Amino acid sequence: MDAIYEVYIDVLALNNFFADLAALLAVNIFLRRRVRAHRILAGAVLGTAASCAVFIFSKQMAAYLLLVHFAVNPAVIVFCFREKTKQDFFADLCAGYFVFLLMGGITEWLYEGGNGLFSYKMALSAALILLFAAVCWIKKQLKNRVRYFEAQVSQKGKKIRIKALSDSGNLLRDPYTGKAVSMIDRRVYETAFGRAGAVRLIPYESLGCRHGLLEAVTIEELCYAYGSCEKKIQKAVLGLADHALFEKKPYQIIINPQENPTGGRYEKDG
């Protein structure tokens, strides 16, 4: 004898909405997609409506699950984030499913293990609150960590790839060109490209040095990828800083966040 299950459409809709909302918000936060809240909310509503419609018109549970997981959920990801590459799309999809499964596990734990303390709706709401508290805490921890990324310096027909740090406190500008000045380890620059020929002196002030002069050089190109942001700066200005500034540091160049890209895409070799 086949088992008969009763499914309440309001419970299904509520469950899908909160799960979709949590997954989409987590993707937006962790992967730094910078999608506005109204699009996230619209995606959760559309995903819920589509899932409920599929459930109503599907005659078999297997068909419902296949359509939701392989059609509805990917479509919601496309609608919300509009990724241009397959890699970013699959990263969004995987991150969303991870949060979806995590939220389902928390809800089940509270509902089944609560000995009647939580109704299903209360367990779902509590799971959502706990999940977002965890998301906010992790986001804060990641924000407080120093983040390094890869930069590519092109000069004299040569290219080198080095570790970079973006420093919001670096506001130095070249008074001759008006361009933002990033700073590179002099030893790294000279090892790769030889002694700089046409240098100029840029006045600067820093902690422990009220007035100083920094040798600077214009390079052919500076490229770097920071998170999902990729920049390519033609005729970038680099300050040749003493090796002591970079000694025992994991980076060899300090990027000025005021750099303005001139277009193009950072093409990684290999």
Side-chain angles (χ1 to χ4, degrees):
M1 183 175 179
D2 295 333
I4 298 175
Y5 298 95
E6 289 187 359
V7 178
Y8 296 93
I9 195 67
D10 58 334
V11 175
L12 178 67
L14 183 67
N15 183 71
N16 282 353
F17 175 75
F18 280 129
D20 288 349
L21 184 64
L24 293 173
L25 282 172
V27 170
N28 201 39
I29 291 171
F30 282 123
L31 300 185
R32 301 172 180 267
R33 298 312 188 203
R34 297 181 178 88
V35 174
R36 293 185 177 181
H38 71 271
R39 179 167 287 276
I40 297 293
L41 183 61
V45 171
L46 289 174
T48 300
S51 297
C52 290
V54 169
F55 180 80
I56 291 171
F57 292 105
S58 295
K59 295 182 179 181
Q60 295 182 349
M61 182 59 69
Y64 165 74
L65 294 175
L66 286 173
L67 286 171
V68 167
H69 291 302
F70 291 99
V72 174
N73 291 344
V76 170
I77 291 293
V78 171
F79 170 80
C80 286
F81 302 107
R82 299 178 180 180
E83 300 293 9
K84 295 180 180 179
T85 66
K86 292 181 180 179
Q87 182 179 359
D88 289 339
F89 165 76
F90 283 113
D92 293 347
L93 192 62
C94 291
Y97 267 108
F98 174 78
V99 174
F100 181 82
L101 293 173
L102 182 62
M103 184 175 175
I106 295 174
T107 303
E108 190 71 18
W109 178 71
L110 291 173
Y111 180 60
E112 295 291 341
N115 296 321
L117 181 63
F118 293 95
S119 67
Y120 185 77
K121 291 182 180 180
M122 289 176 61
L124 186 61
S125 301
L128 188 64
I129 293 171
L130 289 172
L131 184 62
F132 276 101
V135 167
C136 291
W137 182 80
I138 294 172
K139 183 184 177 184
K140 183 178 179 181
Q141 298 305 310
L142 292 174
K143 187 176 180 180
N144 291 335
R145 290 178 59 188
V146 178
R147 295 195 62 204
Y148 309 114
F149 51 97
E150 185 180 84
Q152 180 175 279
V153 179
S154 302
Q155 180 73 318
K156 298 180 181 179
K158 299 179 181 179
K159 296 180 181 179
I160 60 169
R161 281 196 262 171
I162 53 180
K163 289 291 184 181
L165 166 73
S166 181
D167 182 8
S168 59
N170 178 15
L171 304 178
L172 188 61
R173 283 194 173 273
D174 183 355
Y176 303 100
T177 64
K179 289 188 174 184
V181 179
S182 297
M183 291 185 289
I184 189 171
D185 185 336
R186 176 190 292 274
R187 184 180 297 180
V188 171
Y189 180 91
E190 292 181 349
T191 299
F193 308 115
R195 290 186 61 85
V199 298
R200 53 189 179 277
L201 299 178
I202 296 178
Y204 72 94
E205 293 183 3
S206 65
L207 196 65
C209 180
R210 295 194 59 184
H211 300 288
L213 293 173
L214 177 69
E215 286 190 351
V217 62
T218 298
I219 63 169
E220 295 168 4
E221 188 176 77
L222 172 64
C223 306
Y224 58 93
Y226 184 62
S228 60
C229 177
E230 297 178 345
K231 291 189 177 182
K232 178 183 290 187
I233 300 95
Q234 306 286 348
K235 303 296 181 183
V237 180
L238 293 185
L240 305 178
D242 291 338
H243 175 69
L245 180 65
F246 298 90
E247 195 170 12
K248 296 182 180 180
K249 298 292 196 307
Y251 53 87
Q252 296 83 42
I253 185 171
I254 300 174
I255 300 293
N256 190 321
Q258 299 181 107
E259 286 281 17
N260 293 318
T262 56
R265 189 172 179 85
Y266 175 26
E267 300 284 346
K268 290 187 179 181
D269 299 331

